[in-house]
Amino acid sequence: MSAYDATVVFITSFLAIPLCYFSNYAFNAVQSKNELLVFVIGTVAILLVISITWSLLRKNNTGKTNPLFTVMSIFTLASVVDLISALELDGIIEGFMSFYLKHGEPYLRTAHGTIINYWDGIIHYGLYLSMLSAMAWNQGYHEVGLYWVGSITHSMIVLVLGALTGKYGIKWSFLLNVPYCIVPVWFGVKLLREPVPVLKESSEFTLKSIWKRPIDVLLILYFIFASGLAVMRGMGWSSVIYVWQELSNIYQMPVRKDRKVVSADE
């Protein structure tokens, strides 16, 4: 691989800007609310970027290309789309994603949806560029790759479960999230099967028992407590736990306020 390959993926990611603008303009012009049409347009846009990236990579590599670069072209494009969505949700820009956010994935118009778009558009995009650079210059990207796998998997678990249990229901555009559920699993397995480069070996290094590492024990206990608290808040938000629901009403938790605001906007 070469710097040319990474540059191609980087540049093609910015195709998201004209694609978002003209798609939004076309939908608003025809005033179509067909959810299937929104999904079809999104799928065509993805296939268009894949074909452009694949042809440019094949041209430079005489027919031999790394499929991972093509996969990265999809995810970098999606990161730019998510950043555009976040900026539009905050009112910084307009006319790019308003139609999709209303008829494609309306659950992204919440506070969590805005932050998850920022996270994908900034943090994940930076991770993609780091991995692309490492692949282009034949450097290791094991740690960065595993961090991305954990981050994107966590984001998708929350997003998918929220979409499935939320009041908006499942729309056709929800299927555009399928690559986010499949590719990280494949990529994570690929990374775990690859040998990890050892920078420095030490014969004196011994792994201590978990009970002899008090800081690690405290972190484990904290994460168990935080996970349980998050589950209870989620069940209280969905009115499953009555006591937690009453506490959230008394103390006016922002998560419940956000739910009312979204309902009012509709």
Side-chain angles (χ1 to χ4, degrees):
M1 297 299 110
S2 65
Y4 172 85
D5 301 320
T7 304
V8 166
V9 177
F10 172 71
I11 293 176
T12 53
S13 67
F14 289 98
L15 290 174
I17 299 174
L19 285 174
C20 289
Y21 180 80
F22 288 111
S23 298
N24 189 74
Y25 178 83
F27 278 122
N28 287 326
V30 299
Q31 293 295 319
S32 173
K33 297 182 179 180
N34 191 328
E35 298 174 1
L36 179 59
L37 182 60
V38 177
F39 168 71
V40 171
I41 295 297
T43 304
V44 171
I46 292 174
L47 295 176
L48 177 63
V49 173
I50 291 176
S51 61
I52 293 174
T53 306
W54 184 259
S55 61
L56 291 174
L57 292 177
R58 284 175 61 89
K59 181 179 179 181
N60 183 64
N61 294 285
T62 62
K64 297 180 180 180
T65 60
N66 187 345
L68 191 57
F69 274 82
T70 306
V71 173
M72 285 294 176
S73 68
I74 304 173
F75 282 82
T76 53
L77 176 83
S79 289
V80 177
V81 172
D82 287 342
L83 182 58
I84 293 172
S85 300
L87 293 174
E88 183 145 338
L89 287 168
D90 275 343
I92 300 174
I93 60 175
E94 62 179 8
F96 287 86
M97 293 293 292
S98 58
F99 188 91
Y100 183 84
L101 292 171
K102 185 175 182 181
H103 301 286
E105 295 186 84
Y107 43 81
L108 293 177
R109 294 188 294 135
T110 61
H112 177 268
T114 302
I115 296 302
I116 203 173
N117 279 324
Y118 273 123
W119 185 263
D120 189 58
I122 298 176
I123 305 300
H124 289 165
Y125 190 69
L127 294 176
Y128 297 142
L129 296 183
S130 298
M131 288 187 285
L132 286 170
S133 301
M135 286 186 285
W137 279 277
N138 295 320
Q139 297 177 352
Y141 55 91
H142 190 269
E143 292 83 2
V144 178
L146 287 178
Y147 182 86
W148 172 76
V149 170
S151 178
I152 194 69
T153 301
H154 174 267
S155 298
M156 291 311 301
I157 289 174
V158 176
L159 183 66
V160 170
L161 291 179
L164 292 174
T165 59
K167 63 179 181 179
Y168 295 106
I170 299 300
K171 300 180 182 294
W172 278 100
S173 297
F174 178 78
L175 296 177
L176 295 174
N177 293 305
V178 171
Y180 282 96
C181 300
I182 298 176
V183 173
V185 176
W186 164 76
F187 191 57
V189 172
K190 178 178 178 297
L191 289 175
L192 292 175
R193 288 182 176 178
E194 292 178 351
V196 181
V198 180
L199 300 178
K200 183 178 180 181
E201 295 183 358
S202 174
S203 58
E204 299 179 356
F205 176 79
T206 55
L207 183 62
K208 296 181 180 180
S209 171
I210 185 64
W211 304 112
K212 295 182 179 180
R213 291 177 285 165
I215 296 179
D216 292 343
V217 173
L218 290 176
L219 285 174
I220 291 173
L221 293 176
Y222 167 75
F223 285 123
I224 292 175
F225 170 77
S227 299
L229 183 64
V231 171
M232 292 184 64
R233 288 181 62 185
M235 297 179 72
W237 181 84
S238 58
S239 303
V240 175
I241 301 180
Y242 178 76
V243 175
W244 193 269
Q245 180 185 4
E246 290 300 313
L247 288 175
S248 63
N249 288 331
I250 294 173
Y251 293 103
Q252 293 296 309
M253 290 186 178
V255 67
R256 297 191 66 84
K257 283 185 177 181
D258 182 64
R259 186 181 185 183
K260 294 177 182 178
V261 169
V262 173
S263 300
D265 289 340
E266 296 179 345

